[in-house]
Amino acid sequence: MPAEIFWNQQAALPLLALLQLLPLLGAAVVFALGERSAAVLAGKLFALAELLLAGFAASRIDPLLAGFQLAERIDLLGYHVAVDGISILFLLVTALLTLLMTLYGMSRGMISPGRLFAVLLLAEAGLVGMLLTVNIAWFAFFSALELWAVVYLLRRWASSRAETQALARFVQYQGFGLALFVAGCFVLGWGYAEANGGRWSFDLFDLTGTLPAGKFQTAAFYLLFYGLAVRTPLFPLHGWLPNMAQHGLIAVAPALMVGVKVGIYGMARFVLPLTPDAVLDWQPYVVGFAMAGVFFTAALAFLQTNLRRLLAFAVVSHTSLLVIGLFSLHGAGIQGAMLLAANFGLAVTGMWFVVGFVFRRTGTTELGELSGLFERIPFLAIAFLTFGLAIVGMPGTPGFDAAHLVLEASIARFGALSTVATALGNVAAAGFLLWGFQKAFLSQEKSGSYDVDRTQPMEYLVCGIAVTALLAIGFFTEPWLVLTDAASQALAGSFVR
Amino acid sequence: MKLPLLSLLVLLPLLGGALLWLLPARRARMVAAVTMFGVLLLATWLLVLYDPAGPRFQLLDRLPWLPDIGVHWLLAVDGLSVLFLPATGLLFLGALVASWNAVGEAQRLFYSLLLLLQTATLGIFCAIDLVLFFVFWEISLVPVYFLLARWGVVADAPKVAARYVLIMLAGGFPLLLAFVMLGGVAGSFDLTILLDRPADDGVQRIVLVLMLIGFALKVPLVPLHTWLPQFALAAPGSLTAVLIGLKVGVYGLVRFAIPLAPDAAQDWHWLLAGLGTLTLIYGAVGVLAHSNLRVGLAYASICHVGLAVLGLSTLSEQGVQGAVSLLLSFTVATGGAMLLLEFLRQRTGSTDIHALGGAARTMPMLASGVLICGLAGVGMPGTSSFPAEFLLILSILERYTGAGMAALFGLAIAAGAFLALYRKAFFGPVTRSAVAQAEDLRPREWVVLVVLIALIAGIGIYPAPWLDIVRPAAEAWAAAFLS
């Protein structure tokens, strides 16, 4: 049974409840304001307030304690929230990305921004709910809420005529993934009810006390793991992402789906502690698939002719690395995977922002039609490359220390050969990101090419914040290592053989 | 309170690079020049402060950076590295002069990237924490990529840039893996601690191979050299001069790969010697096979790097002293020659001998400059390379007579081949109008030439003070292999 500290011992207010209510309140206010200009301002302010509140919550917890903190409980509804260092890390990323998305949405001049911001804040509420709860059924509920918000975004603000197909594919995949996940929850809850005389519970704390045995655990593992694997997305279940990335809303929808790696978070929070034996049994297969995925998707990325699809494959490729780190079941590996998840989320969202800015100027993201943008928008080009280098794990970005930890764990668990293979996969990722960068930004200007606008202040701000955040975390990684250390060690502790 | 001089030196170019974004674009070149001059002065002062008779590592700066995983901001110099600091300062100033009118648009970006590269290079020479070293090592790729892709002198420069970065990233992973293994065993990445506690034999072997791969790519050692000729053709002259003039790859072998795996290096000295000899001969033959002066010079540098590695493989005091001196002489001679060839390219549009011929008639000073640098590269007595090559050949002949003979043979081929290229480019009748109309060196280029000649001749005629700085550190380096 994990330990927890209740909120009234650490803070004057139930911070986690506020964190969940604030974006909901924001969504309601912005929705009520309709398309007035105040709605846009209110949306930004709520996003900023949520970030500040998340920062405040981060300052209240003690990262050196392994247990859950700031806990809140209402038994009747099964409401149970608590955080540790890992959830705080994800929470900060979520709040920062939402704020950047509100700024981005304005600078790209989208239609009906008021409605957009309301849905965006609703999606944030869903993400925050997923990150804070320790009840697996609530996790599934918030997941559904967030997916609904994304579907609404895709329907209303899609940037291409082929969006219907992309949307259908998205709904099919995500609906299936969610159904698997819910079924997994059901298996776990049922197991608990069998053992406790018919009393059902989906609470992490209860469930860790009575783990399902044998094949029930395997079934639960498979259902939960594949449910989350679709969401993550993990090779070979990534079919929805390239289409959505190409035809859907350019930056906001992909950022909501893959900017915050809730799939990986869900695996760390629920799958590893609740099905430990099955995880140990299936670890080689999961890691094997992930290693294959790194290379397969890297190869596919090289074949893409559209910058947006290329980024989608970049996501799938690096998600495989996260899974390798997580399923090393090694303290350093888990910590590295969590930091990498934050790093990838921030970096890939930044890349998507730049692609959005490019699209606003050129009306296309086909690599064959873009050329010579570096001369016109050097800042955005350099920002794009910086994000790319962060994904590759360049020193000076959080990716470096995180990749270093994952490598260390990988050597310890899988041996030098697999580690070298994984590292080569990362070099392949560097290859296609550089290739895409050169095609879009550096290639010779073609005849009759467009005369694109220079970088605008809001674009400087959005990319500037993201680059600064990456570099600041990259050069001062220590606090982030401290934040995630105890929680990662605790998670790995149950797998010491 | 003691000033953190090394940190100041390493960060000064970075500050200059940031400062020039705050000033108007037309001031960028001036800010860069002042910063680089400041770096050179500071580096020279550090050389004065350095006491060759003192302890091994001096001017230590130490700050905790990631204490949880044993990583520190740890800078220090010893006799093997301290001379590289003024050499770096000098070469970057030369590179600045070579790019004076060649930048075109986006001046601020160009100069801030060049300054970032200087910070990374100085960091590589000063860092004695393995992870910190790796950070500088990898960060240097960013400015190189941009300088090459955006200011390259051939049409497919972006491709060459991407290829270079990918090859170097691929080489970075074995290095990182080796460092993580060493640090994981010892619980620290501090070089001074790791030197006192060598890892056990099995780890040493793996680590040596990994580091050899990583550094050999950068050096480059044959057969990992394929990126260099293309790179030398595509890059702007200032960048080629810096990357070919400053041999960070061999420095990595001297500083990390061999001392951190002493027993494995002793067992496998034949591997280093073989790679060195192969590289030497291959480089010499390569000079014969090319018609472009820049590529020829790149192959000549491959040849000499082979000699330095062959010298290192003797694991003797003379060998390492000769190798380090050769690298330093190289910074002046090859770096200088690359700069002069860039002056030539800016005038005639090419450095291929087919587009030249008779260039000495219209540009006598430039021609004599290239000749002096070339002779220094060949190891002519009286030039700066002579004492270094002498030490190297001596130590090699003593240890491996056969390889020593092969080395002499290879050096002779390289010298002959370079002189043949030189003759075709600079003598004979003038056939091209670009050559006929070219003007000789301008005053600011003249200054570069005078400094070059002064250094080449000065060190060549009176090498003792420089060798005295290197010797104590070389003794300490070789002492690890006596037991």
Side-chain angles (χ1 to χ4, degrees):
Chain A
M1 187 82 135
E4 65 179 333
I5 304 171
F6 279 92
W7 62 271
N8 45 17
Q9 295 170 11
Q10 290 182 304
L13 291 166
L15 285 173
L16 301 190
L18 289 179
L19 274 167
Q20 292 176 85
L21 290 175
L22 191 65
L24 279 178
L25 178 69
V29 169
V30 175
F31 184 77
L33 285 171
E35 292 305 329
R36 283 177 218 128
S37 58
V40 172
L41 183 66
K44 284 186 206 166
L45 287 180
F46 273 105
L48 181 64
E50 178 79 358
L51 178 61
L52 295 178
L53 192 59
F56 181 65
S59 72
R60 301 309 302 181
I61 71 156
D62 178 0
L64 298 178
L65 299 176
F68 287 97
Q69 304 177 39
L70 292 173
E72 296 164 21
R73 243 184 149 133
I74 303 171
D75 279 336
L76 192 61
L77 301 170
Y79 171 79
H80 187 183
V81 290
V83 289
D84 60 5
I86 292 176
S87 18
I88 286 288
L89 176 72
F90 279 82
L91 181 68
L92 288 170
V93 172
T94 309
L96 178 63
L97 288 184
T98 312
L99 179 64
L100 288 178
M101 276 185 263
T102 58
L103 298 175
Y104 165 85
M106 282 323 295
S107 57
R108 216 174 79 70
M110 304 247 221
I111 50 160
S112 49
R115 184 62 60 88
L116 176 72
F117 280 17
V119 182
L120 194 57
L121 286 168
L122 204 59
E124 184 182 27
L127 284 172
V128 170
M130 286 159 95
L131 296 177
L132 298 186
T133 184
V134 284
N135 183 310
I136 196 164
W138 278 71
F139 185 89
F141 165 73
F142 279 120
S143 182
L145 174 70
E146 197 236 342
L147 287 175
W148 177 82
V150 175
V151 169
Y152 187 83
L153 282 171
L154 285 176
R155 277 178 63 115
R156 202 158 157 177
W157 284 277
S159 63
S160 156
R161 287 180 190 278
E163 84 254 16
T164 333
Q165 183 215 351
L167 184 64
R169 190 64 52 80
F170 179 78
V171 172
Q172 288 158 2
Y173 265 91
Q174 296 299 338
F176 186 62
L178 194 62
L180 287 179
F181 190 81
V182 169
C185 297
F186 188 69
V187 171
L188 286 175
W190 196 359
Y192 181 81
E194 288 273 292
N196 290 283
R199 201 170 67 81
W200 284 69
S201 170
F202 295 101
D203 195 297
L204 180 68
F205 286 49
D206 293 341
L207 293 175
T208 36
T210 39
L211 296 176
K215 57 190 175 201
F216 287 105
Q217 196 179 115
T218 306
F221 167 74
Y222 259 83
L223 291 167
L224 294 178
F225 178 75
Y226 278 113
L228 291 171
V230 172
R231 177 73 171 72
T232 309
L234 194 60
F235 165 82
L237 303 172
H238 60 271
W240 57 272
L241 183 58
N243 280 325
M244 180 184 100
Q246 187 180 0
H247 301 296
L249 193 61
I250 294 181
V252 177
L256 283 175
M257 288 308 291
V258 296
V260 186
K261 309 265 170 214
V262 280
I264 296 291
Y265 174 82
M267 287 179 198
R269 174 64 70 237
F270 295 110
V271 178
L272 293 193
L274 289 181
T275 58
D277 302 333
V279 166
L280 274 180
D281 285 350
W282 296 99
Q283 175 197 22
Y285 301 93
V286 171
V287 172
F289 259 100
M291 281 183 180
V294 172
F295 286 100
F296 184 75
T297 44
L300 284 180
F302 270 113
L303 298 176
Q304 302 308 315
T305 58
N306 188 306
L307 193 54
R308 291 154 78 180
R309 285 181 79 89
L310 189 145
L311 285 191
F313 283 104
V315 169
V316 186
S317 171
H318 71 226
T319 309
S320 303
L321 279 182
L322 297 182
V323 171
I324 293 172
L326 190 62
F327 277 79
S328 67
L329 307 178
H330 182 289
I334 294 174
Q335 188 183 14
M338 294 303 135
L339 287 173
L340 264 187
N343 169 57
F344 284 158
L346 203 52
V348 97
T349 308
M351 290 178 106
W352 248 306
F353 285 157
V354 177
V355 172
F357 294 142
V358 167
F359 186 78
R360 188 174 68 79
R361 290 174 164 77
T362 62
T364 178
T365 50
E366 286 293 324
L367 284 171
E369 295 169 23
L370 296 172
S371 67
L373 290 168
F374 191 88
E375 300 301 318
R376 300 293 300 174
I377 42 171
F379 178 77
L380 294 181
I382 290 179
F384 186 87
L385 192 72
T386 311
F387 298 134
L389 291 175
I391 288 182
V392 181
M394 174 63 73
T397 67
F400 172 61
D401 290 298
H404 168 172
L405 289 169
V406 171
L407 281 183
E408 197 179 314
S410 180
I411 295 176
R413 282 288 144 74
F414 312 126
L417 201 63
S418 327
T419 311
V420 171
T422 317
L424 282 180
N426 210 16
V427 175
F432 64 71
L433 287 173
L434 267 184
W435 178 75
F437 173 76
Q438 286 183 344
K439 282 256 181 185
F441 291 96
L442 284 179
S443 57
Q444 295 293 314
E445 283 185 52
K446 300 186 176 66
S447 57
S449 72
Y450 25 76
D451 198 17
V452 300
D453 297 342
R454 296 282 183 180
T455 315
Q456 293 170 0
M458 194 55 101
E459 297 173 340
Y460 276 115
L461 184 67
V462 172
C463 290
I465 292 176
V467 168
T468 312
L470 274 177
L471 294 183
I473 302 174
F475 279 105
F476 303 100
T477 319
E478 187 65 18
W480 306 93
L481 290 174
V482 172
L483 180 67
T484 47
D485 191 38
S488 308
Q489 296 299 343
L491 201 51
S494 49
F495 294 100
V496 175
R497 277 168 285 191
Chain B
M1 201 192 110
K2 205 166 61 90
L3 271 175
L5 287 175
L6 280 180
S7 304
L8 199 65
L9 177 75
V10 170
L11 296 177
L12 188 62
L14 201 63
L15 287 180
L19 182 70
L20 57 82
W21 287 96
L22 304 177
L23 296 171
R26 67 199 144 78
R27 297 249 178 271
R29 201 163 58 181
M30 227 43 231
V31 176
V34 171
T35 312
M36 285 185 182
F37 201 68
V39 169
L40 180 60
L41 286 182
L42 187 54
T44 315
W45 188 32
L46 284 169
L47 188 61
V48 175
L49 287 179
Y50 177 79
D51 172 17
R56 172 86 190 264
F57 288 102
Q58 300 182 22
L59 301 164
L60 204 72
D61 282 344
R62 188 193 183 95
L63 282 172
W65 186 23
L66 296 169
D68 273 12
I69 45 179
V71 177
H72 292 83
W73 173 270
L74 193 57
L75 301 176
V77 285
D78 68 352
L80 300 178
S81 60
V82 68
L83 283 167
F84 283 103
L85 304 181
T88 308
L90 207 58
L91 192 57
F92 271 86
L93 260 180
L96 182 75
V97 174
S99 63
W100 200 256
N101 282 329
V103 180
E105 275 183 56
Q107 296 228 346
R108 283 193 287 204
L109 188 61
F110 182 90
Y111 291 112
S112 52
L113 286 171
L114 201 60
L115 287 166
L116 177 62
L117 183 60
Q118 192 176 27
T119 282
T121 312
L122 290 169
I124 286 173
F125 288 126
C126 294
I128 57 165
D129 181 290
L130 300 190
V131 174
L132 184 64
F133 169 82
F134 187 76
V135 168
F136 286 122
W137 182 262
E138 293 281 288
I139 280 184
S140 69
L141 296 181
V142 177
V144 172
Y145 174 78
F146 269 112
L147 289 172
L148 180 49
R150 171 68 176 70
W151 283 274
V153 295
V154 297
D156 64 346
K159 266 189 204 142
V160 179
R163 194 158 158 232
Y164 173 78
V165 169
L166 289 182
I167 290 176
M168 289 307 148
L169 279 178
F173 275 107
L175 270 190
L176 181 62
L177 217 58
F179 290 170
V180 168
M181 283 178 81
L182 281 169
V185 173
S188 166
F189 292 96
D190 183 339
L191 182 67
T192 53
I193 294 177
L194 290 169
L195 285 179
D196 287 345
R197 276 187 262 153
D200 61 52
D201 271 4
V203 176
Q204 275 196 26
R205 276 159 204 263
I206 303 174
V207 163
L208 181 68
V209 171
L210 288 172
M211 285 198 276
L212 209 53
I213 298 171
F215 287 127
L217 268 168
K218 194 83 148 205
V219 171
L221 286 179
V222 174
L224 303 175
H225 65 287
T226 47
W227 58 269
L228 184 63
Q230 256 193 337
F231 184 95
L233 262 189
S238 43
L239 183 63
T240 323
V242 168
L243 280 206
I244 294 188
L246 289 166
K247 295 282 173 202
V248 288
V250 188
Y251 173 78
L253 289 175
V254 176
R255 167 63 79 230
F256 297 105
I258 297 175
L260 285 176
D263 302 332
Q266 231 159 355
D267 288 352
W268 288 348
H269 63 90
W270 51 268
L271 179 66
L272 274 171
L275 283 173
T277 314
L278 181 67
T279 305
L280 197 159
I281 305 283
Y282 186 94
V285 175
V287 187
L288 273 179
H290 286 87
S291 66
N292 192 309
L293 286 170
R294 282 166 74 136
V295 180
L297 198 59
Y299 273 104
S301 83
I302 292 182
C303 168
H304 283 87
V305 160
L307 180 67
V309 172
L310 186 54
L312 283 180
S313 71
T314 64
L315 304 177
S316 64
E317 183 198 327
Q318 281 177 338
V320 69
Q321 198 187 359
V324 170
S325 313
L326 185 66
L327 295 185
L328 285 164
S329 160
F330 236 65
T331 309
V332 179
T334 317
M338 276 293 177
L339 292 176
L340 291 169
L341 290 181
E342 172 66 9
F343 297 152
L344 181 65
R345 191 194 64 79
Q346 286 168 7
R347 287 167 167 74
T348 61
S350 172
T351 50
D352 197 292
I353 53 170
H354 300 305
L356 296 169
R361 273 174 214 271
T362 49
M363 296 170 274
M365 279 210 300
L366 199 155
S368 42
V370 175
L371 184 65
I372 291 170
C373 289
L375 289 179
V378 170
M380 173 96 171
T383 64
S384 54
S385 310
F386 178 68
E389 293 204 4
F390 186 71
L391 281 170
L392 281 170
I393 297 280
L394 217 63
S395 64
I396 295 166
L397 280 175
E398 197 178 301
R399 181 83 193 250
Y400 321 98
T401 314
M405 299 307 283
L408 282 174
F409 180 63
L411 288 177
I413 296 182
F418 187 76
L419 287 177
L421 273 181
Y422 181 83
R423 182 175 60 77
K424 286 177 195 154
F426 287 96
F427 294 124
V430 179
T431 51
R432 308 279 163 156
S433 60
V435 176
Q437 288 156 11
E439 64 169 314
D440 208 359
L441 296 182
R442 298 183 190 100
R444 64 164 178 276
E445 297 168 338
W446 216 85
V447 174
V448 174
L449 185 64
V450 169
V451 173
L452 274 177
I453 294 176
L455 280 171
I456 289 175
I459 300 174
I461 293 167
Y462 188 51
W466 313 103
L467 293 177
D468 286 346
I469 292 177
V470 181
R471 186 177 303 114
E475 263 169 36
W477 188 90
F481 305 104
L482 292 178
S483 52

